[in-house]
Amino acid sequence: MRCWGHQKQNNKASWWHQALLPLVMFFVPCTWSQDKAEVMSSHTAGSAVTHTTPAQLDDGSLTIIGSNEVKQALGMLENMRRRCHERTFQVNLSPNDATMYQVVGTLCANGTFEDKTLQLLLSGGTYSGVYWDFPLNPAVYSYVDAANQQGYATLNLARIGVGQSERPSGNLVDVVSHAHVVHQVIQALRAEDNEHTRFEKIIAVGHSLGSMIAIELAARHPDDLDGLILSGFLHNLNPNFFELAQNAYHPATLDEKFLGQFPHNDYFTTVPDKRAALFYHSQTAEPQVIIMDELTKDTSSIGETAFTLPFTQTLKIDVPVMILVGEFDAVFCGGALDCTSASEVHSHQSDFFTASSCLHTKVIQDAGHSLNLHTNAPATFAHMNRWADRKIGNGKHEATPPCDVD
């Protein structure tokens, strides 16, 4: 049995009071007695009930028996609350360029930021941070929610050139300049004066282009990261993708969403109604998600198209690495690599990493390129965060020696 009391302050209890009652009741034991009946009766009547050692929530709407269990319960409830705030960073595009730009990120955690490992999220081409915190059905499609619930802090970074961040000339925005920008962001985070948001461990979590940026960053600045999660990426390109993409992209200035914004044709985006074929596996893609993806799409720069696969850069990485790819990824699967075979994918990718990266690969069945936006995304998120728990640790979980068998 559980006992609780309600102190009437107004006729309308706050939404969180109503939501917290069941958990508070669970954590506050009492012996069934006439007193319990009186408490229940008093609550029904709407009259005040007091106890000799009350612990009261800060809106004054709930009074419960004070005990260690109650304090633990309230601490758990506090840790369930997602807190976010926007951060702006001043960066340049190279060490030799004095021109400063602003990049914007959203820093989130459930409860306090203290003693949490940070996951720094980097979106792919034509995606902004919306990819990581999708507004439609976030219980399924928001990686930010999933990581925060697992005890991680997240910095959902709008890469230079997308979202709320500034857009330099698209010719200047490439994988190398992206890596330099993210390096400056990490330096700022590591140098925080506030000990509660000075993160000791940072994992770069990339998708597609974001994965290549994370690789470039780790190769150039080996002290920046404690681990990498690379999704929607392999050292392989589907030769059929080039034909698929040939008529699927156009200058952003011609797109209805960005009409007239980029007159120099240095940013481009996907042609309307092409994203389904490029980024999704139809069997696990919801039509409303594809529509929302179209509505929230962003741009890619001309400089980003001049990439080459980082065959040598990954050999410089000496922190744990996880790679995830959809079984039906139209960008990276095909040609020389059959992604329906998990063992073939792991064998193929192992040639591009040293033993010190402790490479772990995961093929997500029934998924296309944009892993986060398929109905099996929660399982994908769980794989990512379990690996992070084991290999990096997050304050709650101690990491195992990096190359121990999973």
Side-chain angles (χ1 to χ4, degrees):
M1 297 295 181
R2 312 286 171 191
C3 69
W4 52 279
H6 181 276
Q7 185 173 22
K8 185 176 181 182
Q9 207 176 29
N10 52 51
N11 293 328
K12 193 173 183 180
S14 65
W15 67 268
W16 65 281
H17 167 199
Q18 299 174 43
L20 303 190
L21 267 177
L23 186 57
V24 171
M25 291 170 66
F26 179 82
F27 277 95
V28 185
C30 68
T31 303
W32 178 259
S33 66
Q34 182 62 32
D35 293 340
K36 172 71 177 292
E38 290 173 357
V39 169
M40 296 290 286
S41 175
S42 299
H43 170 69
T44 303
S47 58
V49 176
T50 58
H51 300 279
T52 54
T53 56
Q56 189 165 330
L57 295 180
D58 56 12
D59 73 344
S61 63
L62 181 67
T63 301
I64 55 180
I65 294 175
S67 65
N68 289 334
E69 289 82 0
V70 169
K71 293 176 182 177
Q72 292 172 11
L74 295 180
M76 288 179 61
L77 296 173
E78 180 67 15
N79 287 334
M80 289 166 60
R81 296 175 61 190
R82 175 172 159 182
R83 297 177 176 178
C84 296
H85 61 264
E86 191 173 279
R87 291 289 308 273
T88 300
F89 303 90
Q90 301 293 326
V91 299
N92 55 24
L93 297 181
S94 79
N96 302 319
D97 183 0
T99 307
M100 302 303 290
Y101 303 93
Q102 287 189 345
V103 291
V104 179
T106 303
L107 188 64
C108 293
N110 282 13
T112 178
F113 291 95
E114 192 171 4
D115 297 327
K116 285 184 167 68
T117 294
L118 177 70
Q119 295 193 18
L120 197 161
L121 312 179
L122 301 169
S123 62
T126 73
Y127 280 103
S128 67
V130 170
Y131 177 78
W132 297 108
D133 199 12
F134 203 64
L136 190 68
N137 196 359
V140 175
Y141 297 111
S142 172
Y143 183 75
V144 170
D145 272 2
N148 291 163
Q149 289 169 16
Q150 286 301 116
Y152 290 91
T154 54
L155 179 65
N156 192 2
L157 191 67
R159 294 182 290 101
I160 190 82
V162 302
Q164 295 173 279
S165 295
E166 287 192 72
R167 282 181 164 89
S169 169
N171 296 300
L172 302 176
V173 179
D174 57 20
V175 170
V176 173
S177 60
H178 274 302
H180 180 66
V181 166
V182 178
H183 170 61
Q184 294 167 83
V185 170
I186 290 175
Q187 286 184 313
L189 292 169
R190 296 251 194 228
E192 284 281 354
D193 292 332
N194 184 349
E195 64 179 6
H196 300 304
T197 55
R198 190 191 306 123
F199 298 101
E200 298 299 324
K201 294 181 180 179
I202 298 177
I203 306 170
V205 184
H207 172 250
S208 197
L209 172 68
S211 293
M212 288 186 272
I213 295 168
I215 290 168
E216 190 71 23
L217 172 69
R220 289 175 176 268
H221 304 284
D223 295 330
D224 275 3
L225 299 172
D226 299 278
L228 291 87
I229 298 177
L230 310 174
S231 68
F233 165 80
L234 293 172
H235 292 84
N236 182 72
L237 284 174
N238 178 9
N240 296 326
F241 179 73
F242 297 102
E243 182 179 349
L244 182 66
Q246 188 173 5
N247 298 313
Y249 293 87
H250 63 176
T253 193
L254 303 179
D255 194 272
E256 183 177 352
K257 182 178 180 183
F258 305 104
L259 199 61
Q261 291 185 34
F262 308 104
H264 300 296
N265 294 332
D266 52 351
Y267 284 88
F268 64 94
T269 191
T270 51
V271 172
D273 301 323
K274 295 292 187 179
R275 296 178 81 82
L278 293 170
F279 303 141
Y280 289 86
H281 176 53
S282 61
Q283 301 303 309
T284 50
E286 295 186 288
Q288 60 268 35
V289 169
I290 299 173
I291 292 170
M292 181 62 73
D293 187 5
E294 179 67 33
L295 292 172
T296 59
K297 71 181 180 182
D298 215 287
T299 60
S300 285
S301 71
I302 290 295
E304 291 165 359
T305 65
F307 74 89
T308 56
L309 290 177
F311 293 112
T312 59
Q313 294 297 69
T314 48
L315 292 171
K316 301 175 184 178
I317 296 174
D318 61 0
V319 295
V321 176
M322 180 186 202
I323 289 179
L324 304 97
V325 66
E327 178 184 9
F328 300 104
D329 188 315
V331 183
F332 291 101
C333 294
L337 185 58
D338 177 11
C339 289
T340 63
S341 171
S343 60
E344 183 177 334
V345 169
H346 183 79
S347 177
H348 184 275
Q349 292 304 290
S350 295
D351 292 339
F352 304 105
F353 292 88
T354 66
S356 60
S357 67
C358 311
L359 178 66
H360 178 85
T361 60
K362 180 69 180 178
V363 173
I364 305 299
Q365 295 183 343
D366 298 319
H369 181 63
S370 294
L371 294 172
N372 290 20
L373 305 183
H374 290 73
T375 54
N376 53 6
T380 303
F381 300 162
H383 287 304
M384 296 163 72
N385 285 304
R386 281 199 299 267
W387 177 88
D389 287 346
R390 294 193 303 269
K391 299 307 177 187
I392 314 301
N394 71 351
K396 295 191 310 181
H397 301 90
E398 289 295 324
T400 58
C403 290
D404 277 9
V405 176
D406 291 321

